[in-house]
Amino acid sequence: LIAFVSASLVYYQKSKRLVNRTWFWLNVFVVVWSLGYATMISTNSFDIAKYVNHILHGVAIFIPVLFLQFVAALTKQSLKYIKKIRIFYVIAFVFIALNPTAWLLTDVKAKFVFKYVSDAGPFFIYYTAFFVILVIYAEYVLFRAILKAKGLHRSQMLYIFIATVIGFTGGSSVFFLTLNVDFPPYPMILYATYPIVVTYSIIRYRSFDIRSIIFRSFGFSFIILLSTGLLAFITAILSRLAG
């Protein structure tokens, strides 16, 4: 919900800007992944857990690519990194092709306190490496831009850098159980940090060219109500299926 509200806020004001569009789609993919993971570890149905297992991993592989694309747009270096981003998308689609097979994910099974958790296939270690290395690379690109920037833009990027480092560190904790490392994914709650901090930077530094007046507007109130209602409806449907 936090990610979706943040994405909608940014998209609402300047939907034609690349940085806004990539931020929006990055968070949409995060929303789908989050709902999928929550459903998998809470359902009592093996079929539902197995189904959402493939969905959440199918969308998750695009998160680091979208993050790099967002960073490139934020730092005004989209043309510089466009070829690399296209290559990374191709690699992501290779993992999509492997997603339905036992090469990437063998099944869902009981691990730690959860009845169903993903179980890694032989290629999942490469999936994990691609995700983690690409996130680190994107953070490196952002950090270099921070060192060169000055003033307001530097403050904006610094907030985003700190928030996403914390967020991805927490989110990446889910890989351990999948790889059969007995480490509970409790740090995943930190993944909610990045949209909160980025939204704060929108208010504090007017990131993404959004005026703070939007927070008092009817339009933003409508977005909050619509997104909350939509996600509540989806959650209710998933809960009914899982019951």
Side-chain angles (χ1 to χ4, degrees):
L1 178 60
I2 294 169
F4 190 80
V5 169
S6 179
S8 300
L9 169 62
V10 171
Y11 190 79
Y12 170 77
Q13 185 71 4
K14 295 285 185 179
S15 60
K16 293 183 179 180
R17 297 184 69 225
L18 180 60
V19 64
N20 294 60
R21 294 200 311 269
T22 52
W23 178 253
F24 174 80
W25 285 111
L26 169 63
N27 283 278
V28 167
F29 276 59
V30 167
V31 168
V32 177
W33 169 78
S34 300
L35 285 173
Y37 197 86
T39 302
M40 180 183 66
I41 63 175
S42 60
T43 184
N44 290 318
S45 169
F46 172 81
D47 291 335
I48 291 176
K50 187 174 182 179
Y51 180 72
V52 297
N53 180 37
H54 291 289
I55 292 178
L56 71 91
H57 284 95
V59 298
I61 198 60
F62 289 104
I63 291 176
V65 188
L66 283 165
F67 179 56
L68 176 60
Q69 191 172 6
F70 164 72
V71 167
L74 179 68
T75 58
K76 299 177 174 61
Q77 300 181 88
S78 293
L79 291 178
K80 179 179 178 181
Y81 290 99
I82 186 63
K83 291 184 179 179
K84 290 182 179 180
I85 290 171
R86 287 173 178 171
I87 292 172
F88 293 140
Y89 270 115
V90 171
I91 296 173
F93 275 107
V94 171
F95 284 114
I96 287 293
L98 292 171
N99 188 30
T101 72
W103 288 99
L104 190 68
L105 298 162
T106 59
D107 218 331
V108 288
K109 58 178 66 176
K111 297 181 183 181
F112 191 55
V113 297
F114 307 116
K115 188 172 182 178
Y116 298 116
V117 178
S118 309
D119 197 49
F123 275 71
F124 191 81
I125 188 65
Y126 302 108
Y127 177 103
T128 304
F130 176 77
F131 189 103
V132 173
I133 291 172
L134 191 50
V135 167
I136 293 174
Y137 178 66
E139 296 287 10
Y140 169 74
V141 171
L142 180 56
F143 183 73
R144 286 190 61 184
I146 291 171
L147 295 178
K148 296 177 182 179
K150 295 180 180 179
L152 190 63
H153 193 214
R154 185 177 188 275
S155 298
Q156 294 169 351
M157 292 192 294
L158 184 60
Y159 268 102
I160 293 170
F161 173 78
I162 294 172
T164 52
V165 166
I166 295 173
F168 277 113
T169 300
S172 297
S173 65
V174 301
F175 287 125
F176 289 105
L177 277 185
T178 305
L179 292 166
N180 294 307
V181 177
D182 193 18
F183 183 84
Y186 294 145
M188 188 171 66
I189 191 64
L190 295 175
Y191 208 62
T193 301
Y194 84 87
I196 294 174
V197 176
V198 172
T199 302
Y200 170 77
S201 76
I202 291 170
I203 302 171
R204 179 68 178 82
Y205 294 105
R206 298 182 183 182
S207 302
F208 308 110
D209 296 336
I210 294 178
R211 298 179 181 89
S212 59
I213 188 96
I214 192 175
F215 288 89
R216 301 192 297 271
S217 69
F218 170 79
F220 182 65
S221 300
F222 177 74
I223 288 173
I224 292 290
L225 291 172
L226 181 63
S227 59
T228 303
L230 177 63
L231 289 178
F233 175 75
I234 293 172
T235 302
I237 293 297
L238 291 174
S239 297
R240 181 177 292 273
L241 290 174

mmCIF file of all heavy atoms in Angstrom, residues 52 132 166 215 219:
data_model
loop_
_atom_site.group_PDB
_atom_site.id
_atom_site.type_symbol
_atom_site.label_atom_id
_atom_site.label_comp_id
_atom_site.label_asym_id
_atom_site.label_seq_id
_atom_site.Cartn_x
_atom_site.Cartn_y
_atom_site.Cartn_z
ATOM 1 N N VAL A 52 1.307 -18.527 -7.006
ATOM 2 C CA VAL A 52 1.827 -17.182 -6.729
ATOM 3 C C VAL A 52 3.346 -17.192 -6.606
ATOM 4 O O VAL A 52 3.998 -16.156 -6.818
ATOM 5 C CB VAL A 52 1.187 -16.581 -5.458
ATOM 6 C CG1 VAL A 52 -0.297 -16.409 -5.634
ATOM 7 C CG2 VAL A 52 1.505 -17.398 -4.217
ATOM 8 N N VAL A 132 20.996 -9.167 -7.019
ATOM 9 C CA VAL A 132 21.819 -8.462 -6.040
ATOM 10 C C VAL A 132 22.883 -7.602 -6.719
ATOM 11 O O VAL A 132 23.076 -6.422 -6.356
ATOM 12 C CB VAL A 132 22.477 -9.469 -5.073
ATOM 13 C CG1 VAL A 132 23.471 -8.761 -4.146
ATOM 14 C CG2 VAL A 132 21.416 -10.191 -4.259
ATOM 15 N N ILE A 166 18.650 0.611 2.362
ATOM 16 C CA ILE A 166 17.972 -0.051 3.479
ATOM 17 C C ILE A 166 16.868 -0.970 2.964
ATOM 18 O O ILE A 166 16.723 -2.119 3.397
ATOM 19 C CB ILE A 166 17.394 0.984 4.460
ATOM 20 C CG1 ILE A 166 18.529 1.775 5.111
ATOM 21 C CG2 ILE A 166 16.545 0.294 5.526
ATOM 22 C CD1 ILE A 166 18.049 2.934 5.969
ATOM 23 N N PHE A 215 -0.571 17.696 -1.650
ATOM 24 C CA PHE A 215 -1.021 16.946 -0.482
ATOM 25 C C PHE A 215 -2.311 17.512 0.104
ATOM 26 O O PHE A 215 -2.939 16.888 0.946
ATOM 27 C CB PHE A 215 0.082 16.922 0.583
ATOM 28 C CG PHE A 215 1.221 16.044 0.197
ATOM 29 C CD1 PHE A 215 2.281 16.561 -0.533
ATOM 30 C CD2 PHE A 215 1.236 14.705 0.511
ATOM 31 C CE1 PHE A 215 3.332 15.749 -0.914
ATOM 32 C CE2 PHE A 215 2.288 13.894 0.129
ATOM 33 C CZ PHE A 215 3.338 14.427 -0.596
ATOM 34 N N GLY A 219 -7.385 15.819 -5.763
ATOM 35 C CA GLY A 219 -6.837 14.746 -6.602
ATOM 36 C C GLY A 219 -6.033 13.748 -5.805
ATOM 37 O O GLY A 219 -6.182 12.535 -5.983
#
